[in-house]
Amino acid sequence: MSGTILLTGPNGGIGVGFVTQLLKSPYAITHSAIYAVRDPEKALALKAALKNAPKGHKYLILPVDFESLASTRAFAADVNSRVKSGSLPPIQALILNAGVQDLVIEKFTKDGMERTFQINYLANFQLTLLLLKSMDKQHGRIIYISSTAADPNWGSNGRNYTEDQKRTIVTSVENMSRGVEEFPDGSVFRTGQRRYALSKLLLGGWMYEIQRRLDGDSKLSNISVLGHDPGWIGGTSIIRNGPFLVKALFVILRIIGFINSFFSANSLVRTIYRNGSDLLRVCFDQKAFGEYPKALYIDGSVLYHTPKEAQDVEMQKRLWKESLVCAGIKEGDTVLENWK
Ligand SMILES: NC(=O)c1ccc[n+]([C@@H]2O[C@H](COP(=O)([O-])OP(=O)(O)OC[C@H]3O[C@@H](n4cnc5c(N)ncnc54)[C@H](OP(=O)(O)O)[C@@H]3O)[C@@H](O)[C@H]2O)c1
């Protein structure tokens, strides 16, 4: 087997954990890699990890800013032209890992959208459709990175919602892209958690809809779409826009993750390296999840399920249609037959 592995957010904690495990695996040589970063000059953690690359690891570090629909589109066009020219093999694993969580401030993108919505959800929707022409048609896998936060009924997540808010989590794409309107109770921290949770919940709904459309496509039906929940991983930068106490918790989680890695097979608190190995299996393993693992959701290394709020088929269809408009997808952008 050969192919390209495209990883977004490779300069962050989870990204570096994946790259580290990739470089120790046979795929470092059999496969090419595209590392999609915000700024190649500043991708220092990624470059440090790549110092351990085996001789023969072929990779490109390419720029993209998922806060911008135009930048995402330009990045996809660059990748597509490289695959079309044969300078890169088709993409076998597209890992949608880049993400943000704004807990002390609400930020808006260059396109005027609330940025958790755009970076964590809409950019992935857009990028995937644009890149389908470059996917490996036999064994391509598209993997989004989820979170325990996605389920409003998981653990203590419920305290972030009133019962009414739980019932109305997924509204129109236009509303959700504006961010604040849905969360009127004034707590920046809780609204930030809900915005983050929402972005991951939407990816769950998207997974089912795109998988159905791929399954019905004459050329793309072997492509799999999967969700991967990394559990809780301290020491990453995801809470860089979070309160001091959450940052302190992330330091403690890093230590707990390290201890857990000696004792527990699939603990809630993990390390970036443990997660890197799990994610590598989600990309390539054909035994645990089958040769064509369609719309599966994996928690660490174990088959799990999306939140029930992501499983509403009517919601998935509406989300798809409205996201097409919001992401500016037009005729000729995607090879998916039934894209409208
Ligand atoms: N850590 C956890 O406990 C946890 C749990 C569940 C899910 N996750 C998910 O795991 C993924 C990775 O998170 P992490 O914990 O590794 O956090 P992280 O260290 O902050 O990594 C996030 C990565 O996303 C990139 N990114 C952010 N905004 C971007 C943009 N506009 N354009 C391009 N790239 C952008 C960052 O780029 P820069 O390097 O340029 O900043 C960074 O490399 C996220 O999707 C997160 O939601 C994390």
Side-chain angles (χ1 to χ4, degrees):
M1 282 234 246
S2 69
T4 293
I5 300 164
L6 195 164
L7 172 66
T8 71
N11 191 51
I14 285 182
V16 165
F18 176 82
V19 172
T20 304
Q21 302 306 65
L22 168 67
L23 296 178
K24 290 182 192 161
S25 78
Y27 304 108
I29 301 299
T30 55
H31 286 63
S32 303
I34 295 179
Y35 300 121
V37 300
R38 247 197 291 224
D39 182 349
E41 293 293 311
K42 293 183 184 158
L44 302 182
L46 170 64
K47 287 178 185 170
L50 285 168
K51 286 199 175 125
N52 296 318
K55 204 163 169 271
H57 178 57
K58 293 196 210 84
Y59 68 89
L60 292 165
I61 301 178
L62 297 179
V64 61
D65 182 357
F66 294 121
E67 280 198 40
S68 156
L69 292 174
S71 173
T72 306
R73 187 173 274 276
F75 169 72
D78 182 12
V79 173
N80 284 336
S81 76
R82 289 173 197 267
V83 173
K84 190 174 177 192
S85 73
S87 71
L88 266 178
I91 302 167
Q92 209 173 78
L94 170 59
I95 309 167
L96 306 167
N97 166 64
V100 290
Q101 185 173 34
D102 294 332
L103 299 175
V104 287
I105 190 168
E106 184 173 31
K107 294 191 174 190
F108 291 85
T109 68
K110 293 159 190 156
D111 297 311
M113 289 183 241
E114 189 280 310
R115 78 168 192 155
T116 321
F117 173 86
Q118 184 164 354
I119 297 173
N120 293 15
Y121 167 67
L122 196 70
N124 291 328
F125 176 94
Q126 180 196 17
L127 183 66
T128 302
L129 277 176
L130 298 177
L131 284 181
L132 279 178
K133 61 179 72 156
S134 298
M135 289 297 298
D136 180 324
K137 310 286 184 292
Q138 274 315 304
H139 287 103
R141 291 186 184 180
I142 299 161
I143 299 133
Y144 79 89
I145 306 304
S146 189
S147 169
T148 55
D151 186 346
N153 295 303
W154 189 95
S156 59
N157 292 345
R159 70 186 169 182
N160 292 326
Y161 304 85
T162 62
E163 283 310 309
D164 198 38
Q165 282 169 335
K166 272 193 196 171
R167 275 193 298 277
T168 56
I169 291 173
V170 181
T171 58
S172 73
V173 164
E174 199 191 337
N175 260 338
M176 292 186 290
S177 71
R178 286 201 296 261
V180 280
E181 279 79 4
E182 295 308 303
F183 310 123
D185 66 8
S187 159
V188 180
F189 180 73
R190 292 213 188 290
T191 56
Q193 286 202 314
R194 287 197 295 266
R195 283 194 300 268
Y196 178 76
L198 177 66
S199 68
K200 301 295 185 182
L201 184 61
L202 296 181
L203 287 168
W206 162 81
M207 170 178 78
Y208 294 114
E209 186 62 26
I210 190 169
Q211 186 69 76
R212 264 195 303 274
R213 289 169 185 260
L214 288 167
D215 288 351
D217 193 286
S218 62
K219 298 195 181 70
L220 307 177
S221 60
N222 282 340
I223 295 177
S224 302
V225 190
L226 300 145
H228 187 241
D229 180 350
W232 295 0
I233 301 186
T236 80
S237 302
I238 194 72
I239 35 69
R240 65 185 93 177
N241 294 312
F244 172 77
L245 277 179
V246 177
K247 287 181 179 162
L249 176 69
F250 257 57
V251 175
I252 297 167
L253 285 184
R254 187 179 190 172
I255 299 165
I256 298 175
F258 176 73
I259 296 167
N260 279 350
S261 63
F262 293 102
F263 299 107
S264 177
N266 204 52
S267 57
L268 173 61
V269 186
R270 299 168 198 154
T271 65
I272 56 169
Y273 304 111
R274 172 63 200 239
N275 185 67
S277 302
D278 289 342
L279 190 50
L280 201 58
R281 270 193 294 279
V282 176
C283 292
F284 295 111
D285 190 290
Q286 301 202 351
K287 286 192 193 127
F289 310 116
E291 190 174 0
Y292 300 108
K294 303 296 189 69
L296 296 187
Y297 189 86
I298 296 141
D299 171 9
S301 54
V302 174
L303 206 54
Y304 194 58
H305 57 81
T306 54
K308 70 173 175 5
E309 288 75 7
Q311 295 170 15
D312 175 347
V313 176
E314 282 313 305
M315 178 280 280
Q316 294 158 8
K317 293 191 180 311
R318 181 169 53 79
L319 179 65
W320 179 274
K321 288 201 182 288
E322 294 178 10
S323 299
L324 283 176
V325 177
C326 196
I329 302 295
K330 50 188 192 315
E331 204 72 51
D333 276 346
T334 180
V335 293
L336 184 63
E337 288 163 355
N338 177 22
W339 65 275
K340 276 188 185 163

